[in-house]
Amino acid sequence: SMVTDFGTIRFNAGHDLPFVLFLPTYTATAHHHGVLSERLQRMSLEAAVKESEAFAIGDYASALMLGDTLPAEQRVAITKRYAELTGLSESFIDQANLRVSQRRFGKELLRDRGLTVGRFDSRFTGRDRDDAGEGYDYDASYAAIRAIYTASLNDYLRGELGYDSDMSYEILTGVWPWDYGQGGNNRFLNTGERLRAVMHQQPHMKVYVGSGYFDLATPHFAADYSLSHLMLAEELRDNIEVNYYEAGHMMYLRQSELEAQVQNLRRFYETTPVGSR
């Protein structure tokens, strides 16, 4: 699960790109929770997501670019299509000016059930103090795995590997201040140019990307967008391999996707120049 350009995932006023790139993950989430139209629910997850991607990068992106000059008739059509692909109500989408942030989506999708959906993995659901807010109280997917993941890794490090340290292991922590240097000061952090430069300098370098369809932290479509905007030489584009998984940010939480990723990684390592035998 990758992000090289933080401009693809930061929801800010006047910055429409994340609204476009998160939409296919909204569709995947709605498909998982069974709130799409009957036509879309009958589709495979991948097919429904592909339909959403085409709308997101096409009619939807064009509509957002028009801002307040978007004709009323076109706005109605975009609203209806957006509702069909997300399971959200047309009135909510209209009230949000066609721009639904990740936090709002996480609260709104299953509001009538009194549930929120997770950020790291939108298959997980949680419950807030009440159902009236515009954002969720906590990430249900992080809460579900935090303690288990931390305890398991601590046990593995100290028990199986024999690594001992007085320092505590923290799964996520507040390291501050970050210094991104020229890569991110006074703008969205973007390490994509570094990746492009290294791949041009080392043309045998290969890159593996694993993306989860239910990842609302670093969505797969945002990763795809970043990769397609590296301005990488055409003969090097096949050096990037992307695999998609029916899971979230940590696709290894689902046994079937863990096994699939292990197979993909083994094949990837065996086909890289360094990994050849």
Side-chain angles (χ1 to χ4, degrees):
S1 301
M2 62 156 267
V3 56
T4 56
D5 179 0
F6 277 68
T8 63
I9 66 170
R10 292 288 188 254
F11 292 92
N12 291 314
H15 180 55
D16 285 335
L17 185 58
F19 296 103
V20 173
L21 301 179
F22 273 68
L23 180 56
T25 304
Y26 294 170
T27 300
T29 303
H31 187 278
H32 174 78
H33 292 289
V35 295
L36 292 178
S37 65
E38 183 179 352
R39 180 183 71 83
L40 286 168
Q41 284 295 157
R42 287 200 305 265
M43 289 184 177
S44 67
L45 172 66
E46 183 178 359
V49 168
K50 287 297 182 185
E51 185 168 317
S52 184
E53 290 174 353
F55 169 71
I57 205 70
D59 291 345
Y60 180 55
S62 297
L64 296 189
M65 286 291 289
L66 292 174
D68 290 340
T69 67
L70 179 69
E73 183 177 337
Q74 188 177 348
R75 179 181 176 119
V76 169
I78 292 295
T79 300
K80 288 182 178 296
R81 184 69 169 129
Y82 193 110
E84 180 189 13
L85 288 165
T86 62
L88 300 175
S89 70
E90 293 181 26
S91 61
F92 180 80
I93 296 164
D94 186 60
Q95 290 168 353
N97 283 322
L98 310 181
R99 295 162 175 84
V100 180
S101 68
Q102 178 266 321
R103 282 190 59 80
R104 281 182 168 178
F105 176 80
K107 181 71 172 182
E108 181 67 21
L109 182 67
L110 303 179
R111 190 188 295 270
D112 59 347
R113 303 181 193 175
L115 299 174
T116 62
V117 299
R119 175 173 173 262
F120 284 126
D121 193 325
S122 60
R123 296 172 301 160
F124 288 78
T125 59
R127 286 191 177 274
D128 286 346
R129 180 181 178 86
D130 60 51
D131 302 327
E134 72 167 27
Y136 46 81
D137 293 346
Y138 66 99
D139 178 1
S141 55
Y142 179 51
I145 62 97
R146 177 182 56 198
I148 297 172
Y149 181 88
T150 307
S152 297
L153 187 56
N154 269 297
D155 179 69
Y156 175 68
L157 290 173
R158 289 168 171 78
E160 187 167 337
L161 297 184
Y163 174 78
D164 192 21
S165 173
D166 291 335
M167 297 177 64
S168 61
Y169 174 80
E170 299 183 28
I171 182 172
L172 284 177
T173 189
V175 179
W176 190 263
W178 287 101
D179 181 3
Y180 297 116
Q182 295 182 353
N185 286 343
N186 299 315
R187 61 192 176 103
F188 289 121
L189 174 65
N190 187 352
T191 61
E193 175 57 18
R194 288 189 178 185
L195 177 60
R196 181 212 59 78
V198 171
M199 294 187 73
H200 278 184
Q201 295 167 25
Q202 305 292 333
H204 296 293
M205 175 181 173
K206 292 193 175 183
V207 176
Y208 172 94
V209 178
S211 291
Y213 282 124
F214 304 113
D215 183 357
L216 280 172
T218 57
H220 75 277
F221 203 45
D224 292 348
Y225 176 90
S226 295
L227 293 173
S228 67
H229 286 73
L230 289 177
M231 304 304 156
L232 196 63
E234 184 175 358
E235 66 270 18
L236 298 179
R237 292 173 190 170
D238 288 341
N239 283 10
I240 299 179
E241 175 181 330
V242 182
N243 288 278
Y244 304 93
Y245 300 93
E246 293 191 20
H249 189 71
M250 298 147 295
M251 60 283 299
Y252 45 80
L253 293 180
R254 185 174 187 177
Q255 184 67 29
S256 62
E257 307 310 284
L258 167 64
E259 294 171 358
Q261 188 171 55
V262 167
Q263 292 177 0
N264 289 334
L265 284 169
R266 284 176 175 164
R267 175 176 43 77
F268 174 79
Y269 294 142
E270 290 171 355
T271 58
T272 58
V274 174
S276 61
R277 290 173 174 78

